[in-house]
């Protein structure tokens, strides 16, 4: 159990871990802090896959002063050889006396082996509990779902009016929310490895769906995905006309779609992936499993209403990020944020509010399934 006096150092390692974005995938975001005699002597975080892990960065910063110190890390250190040496060997070699971990790593290659290796080296090992453990889980919630269920973590992103409309009846949505909310929403693309929209969104808005930096980075592609059961998306869409290195386009459809339409999309650089039954709906779980197979830890499901409805109905919404604009359209013909067919009140999906934040005139509400 982490004492009240030292909690600030554990929270600091979580803060550092949050600096890691999608570039760490398929590795988790991890932060580490080395403390000796009540003073931080080294800290670091994992910046991208293939580069030193957080523990190694923090120990490099601490140098010889790490001998006899305490290491706080957001996740169990690895004990296996990958693209980098085992962190447990580095920790033992540095002379660390005590390690405080946020969570056990669910990866089968680790899963307690790191804790055992450190204990065998004579290091006192402690695990966070209660609220501290839950905070550590939130930092790598996408990684945890990926390792435990073999699929990508799904984040539903909605920008809507007070009456739950994402566009007017003519499909105009620019702009429902203000610049601060839009900027916040775009930054999500630096955290997760894919974005997913429905065919209607492409037909209505013709978006590029790129991350803020403009493209994906070498070794860490940002997948731009479209759900299109009948391949209605035209090859003249901006997604294809303005290709971006490192940000490939994947169109999910169903078996039996027109082969000529498939070939047309493939000719302009899109990849067509068939999922589910012929002529049926594309199963959200299968989409997330396919993304998980490609090493994507988390995906932003950006709509529109039918796509949001499909993921909610399938219980495949792991997190909801809802931007609320202080506007009311009041038009029953305007486009709803969620469309999934008629249902009774007792069938409504229950969500828990995890946070509310003001972004200039708009509100950001973060929710999780109850």
């Amino acid at each position: 159990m982490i004492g009240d006096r030292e909690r600030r150092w554990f929270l600091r390692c979580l803060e550092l871990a949050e600096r890691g974005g999608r570039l760490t995938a398929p590795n988790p975001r991890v932060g580490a802090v080395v403390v000796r005699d009540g003073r931080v002597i080294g800290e670091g975080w994992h910046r991208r896959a293939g580069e030193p892990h957080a523990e190694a960065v923090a120990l490099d910063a601490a140098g010889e002063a790490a001998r006899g110190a305490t290491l706080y890390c957001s996740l169990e250190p690895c004990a296996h050889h990958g693209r980098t040496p085992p962190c447990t060997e580095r920790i033992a070699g540095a002379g660390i006396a005590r390690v405080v971990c946020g969570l056990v790593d669910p990866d089968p290659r680790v899963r307690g082996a790191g804790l055992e290796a450190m204990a065998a080296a004579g290091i006192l090992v402690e695990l966070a509990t209660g609220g501290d453990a839950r905070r550590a889980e939130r930092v790598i919630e996408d990684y945890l779902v990926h390792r435990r269920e073999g699929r990508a973590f799904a984040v539903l992103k909605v920008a809507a009016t007070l009456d739950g409309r994402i566009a007017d009846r003519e499909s105009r949505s620019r702009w429902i929310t203000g610049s601060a909310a839009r900027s916040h929403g775009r930054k999500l693309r630096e955290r997760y490895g894919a974005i997913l929209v429905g065919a209607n969104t492409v037909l209505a808005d013709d978006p590029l769906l790129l991350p803020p930096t403009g493209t994906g980075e070498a070794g860490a592609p940002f997948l731009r995905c479209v759900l299109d059961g009948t391949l209605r998306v035209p090859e003249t869409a901006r997604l294809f006309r303005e290709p971006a290195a490192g940000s490939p386009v994947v169109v999910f459809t169903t078996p039996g779609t027109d082969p000529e339409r498939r070939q047309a999309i493939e000719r302009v650089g899109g990849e067509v992936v068939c999922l589910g039954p012929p002529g049926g709906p594309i199963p959200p779980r299968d989409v997330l499993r396919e993304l998980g197979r490609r090493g994507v830890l988390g995906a932003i499901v950006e709509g529109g209403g039918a796509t949001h409805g499909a993921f909610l109905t399938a219980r495949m919404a792991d997190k909801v990020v809802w931007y609320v604009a202080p506007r009311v359209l009041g038009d029953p013909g305007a486009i709803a944020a969620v469309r999934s067919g008629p249902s009774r009140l007792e069938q409504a999906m229950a969500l828990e509010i995890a946070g509310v934040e003001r972004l200039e005139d708009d509100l950001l509400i973060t929710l999780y399934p109850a």
Side-chain angles (χ1 to χ4, degrees):
M1 183 175 179
I2 300 172
D4 292 338
R5 293 182 62 185
E6 61 177 344
R7 182 164 286 111
R8 66 183 184 275
W9 296 314
F10 179 71
L11 295 179
R12 175 60 177 169
C13 82
L14 299 185
E15 180 184 323
L16 291 167
E18 287 282 12
R19 296 185 183 182
R22 61 182 176 80
L23 299 183
T24 65
N27 298 340
R29 305 174 196 93
V30 180
V33 177
V34 183
V35 176
R36 183 173 181 176
D37 300 327
R39 184 173 63 88
V40 173
I41 58 173
E43 60 181 33
W45 70 95
H46 186 39
R47 296 174 183 268
R48 64 182 302 151
E51 293 189 2
H53 290 186
E55 299 92 332
V57 175
L59 290 170
D60 281 344
E64 286 299 318
R67 195 160 298 279
T70 295
L71 171 69
Y72 298 85
C73 50
S74 57
L75 185 67
E76 175 186 9
C78 65
H80 64 283
H81 285 271
R83 283 188 277 185
T84 60
C87 288
T88 51
E89 291 183 3
R90 181 65 195 280
I91 292 166
I96 290 290
R98 174 173 171 254
V99 173
V100 179
C101 295
L103 299 168
V104 173
D105 190 335
D107 190 304
R109 297 169 299 176
V110 188
R111 200 177 294 168
L115 304 181
E116 292 174 4
M118 292 186 294
I123 300 169
L124 177 63
V125 179
E126 298 178 25
L127 269 176
T129 59
D132 295 318
R134 286 191 292 274
R135 292 184 189 99
E137 288 176 348
R138 287 287 166 87
V139 175
I140 54 168
E141 55 195 4
D142 50 348
Y143 172 81
L144 295 176
V145 165
H146 183 272
R147 290 301 190 272
R148 291 167 178 167
E149 301 183 31
R151 64 172 179 86
F153 180 87
V155 182
L156 261 66
K157 174 182 172 289
V158 179
T161 60
L162 283 171
D163 53 339
R165 305 295 170 168
I166 58 174
D168 64 19
R169 64 170 58 215
E170 296 176 1
S171 297
R172 293 178 300 190
S173 60
R174 298 179 181 174
W175 296 105
I176 285 177
T177 54
S179 59
R182 296 198 303 272
S183 176
H184 189 282
R186 282 183 61 80
K187 286 179 181 176
L188 289 176
R189 302 180 191 182
E190 296 290 19
R191 184 177 181 87
Y192 303 104
I195 188 167
L196 196 151
V197 301
N200 288 336
T201 296
V202 176
L203 292 170
D205 299 338
D206 200 15
L208 273 176
L209 304 177
L210 288 171
T213 51
T215 63
E217 297 189 35
F222 180 78
L223 301 184
R224 297 179 289 165
C225 307
V226 182
L227 287 181
D228 188 356
T230 55
L231 294 183
R232 292 179 296 138
V233 173
E235 57 269 31
T236 55
R238 291 178 69 205
L239 285 168
F240 306 120
R241 284 190 293 119
E242 302 179 34
S247 295
V249 178
V250 180
V251 180
F252 291 103
T253 190
T254 57
T257 49
D258 186 350
E260 291 186 3
R261 288 296 308 134
R262 290 184 58 180
Q263 292 169 8
I265 291 174
E266 289 168 350
R267 278 197 299 270
V268 293
E271 179 187 356
V272 179
V273 176
C274 297
L275 297 172
I282 302 169
R285 182 181 292 274
D286 290 357
V287 172
L288 296 176
R289 281 178 175 162
E290 175 61 22
L291 292 176
R293 186 185 68 79
R294 295 169 182 242
V296 173
L297 300 185
I300 308 162
V301 182
E302 200 161 300
T307 301
H308 289 150
F311 275 76
L312 285 167
T313 300
R315 295 299 193 263
M316 284 289 107
D318 297 293
K319 183 177 183 177
V320 178
V321 178
W322 197 295
Y323 301 89
V324 183
R327 299 183 180 190
V328 175
L329 269 172
D331 180 358
I335 298 174
V338 178
R339 291 185 289 121
S340 58
S343 61
R344 296 186 298 273
L345 181 60
E346 59 269 22
Q347 296 173 314
M349 183 177 185
L351 300 169
E352 293 181 351
I353 296 176
V356 179
E357 179 181 350
R358 183 162 184 164
L359 300 171
E360 293 180 348
D361 292 333
D362 303 316
L363 289 180
L364 164 59
I365 305 176
T366 302
L367 310 104
Y368 291 89

